[in-house]
Structures are given as C-alpha cells and as structure tokens.
Amino acid sequence: MATHTATISWSAGAADFASGRYSRAHVWRFDGGVEVAASSSPSVVPLPLSVEAAVDPEEAFVAALSSCHMLWFLSLAAEAGWVVTGYEDRAEGRMGRNPEGRLAMLEVVLAPDLRFHGASPSAAEIDALHHAAHDRCFLANSVTTEVRVAALA
C-alpha cells in the first residue's frame, strides 16, 4: 500500500513560548510542492495567536473527508455512465464532547450540489452512489466520526 507524507513546520521566532503567547501559524508542505498556510482555529486559540486566513486542522479534516467522498462519487458515477459536470460540497463538521468527555469532531455532514449533462440519475440512484462512495472512502473508513450526506432537497 502507498505511504503518504506531509511536512509540518513551525518556529517560535521571538515569541515568549513559556507564557503561551506564541503564534500557532505554521506551514504544511506536501510532496508535490504545495505549501498551505495553517494555524489553530480561532475558536480554539483566540486571535492574534491564531491566523483566521489559514487552514486549521478541523477544517482540513472536514475537507479531506469531503474530497475523498467526492472522488469516489465521481468515479462510481462515471462507471455507471452518468456524466457529472459539477460537484460542489458545502461540508460542515460539528465539534462536541464524545462519550469519554473529550472534544472531538462528532459529525461531518456533506451537502453536495450535483450537476449532470444529459440524463440525470434519480434521487434513489444518487443516494446509492453516495452510499457506495462512503463505503469506499478510505478516510471515512478510518475515523469514528459520523459522516453522512444531507438529505436531498
């Protein structure tokens, strides 16, 4: 099986680390050369010690689950002969206390907006594609967080 890597870099700079008043800004570097500005969430560490414009681990977690699901959905839709021309997911993660009393990502709700060329699958066929994508998503298979697709409107 494949191995996936990322390099996470942070430096205290001139900050007074011992006081806890240091920046949480850091950089994620990936093997393809992409660098992503990252930080703690401002909901966890208040500004200015976090960076609102940076990606926080919780957002990345939600995005990774959504991306994995989407990639499987697209693959399965193509395999079934459907022509998807657009997929936009406004995924949302909900934090809270788990049964052990620890803060955790309790639920991730995917809310994809799909566009098709030509014939569109029925709501039941789309639902089946989402279930199959969820079953095959490596990340959904790796976490205890509930991952669900919002009911179609």
Side-chain angles (χ1 to χ4, degrees), residues 68-84 87 110 112 114-116 119-137 149 152:
C68 184
H69 181 90
M70 179 199 70
L71 292 168
W72 275 110
F73 182 93
L74 295 175
S75 175
L76 294 165
E79 188 178 292
W82 303 111
V83 180
V84 182
Y87 185 114
L110 309 179
L114 306 165
R115 289 176 300 291
F116 294 90
S120 295
S122 68
E125 289 167 318
I126 290 172
D127 190 52
L129 286 169
H130 281 303
H131 282 288
H134 178 74
D135 286 344
R136 293 189 185 183
C137 173
V149 178
L152 299 172

Side-chain angles (χ1 to χ4, degrees), residues 3 13 17 31 37 41 46 58 76 87 106 108 116 142-143:
T3 299
F17 184 79
D31 59 3
S41 169
E58 297 82 7
L76 294 165
Y87 185 114
L106 300 179
V108 174
F116 294 90
S142 302
V143 300

Side-chain angles (χ1 to χ4, degrees), residues 21-22 24 39-52:
R21 300 216 34 93
Y22 56 90
R24 276 35 173 213
S39 175
S40 58
S41 169
S43 68
V44 176
V45 177
L47 299 171
L49 300 178
S50 62
V51 180
E52 191 168 14

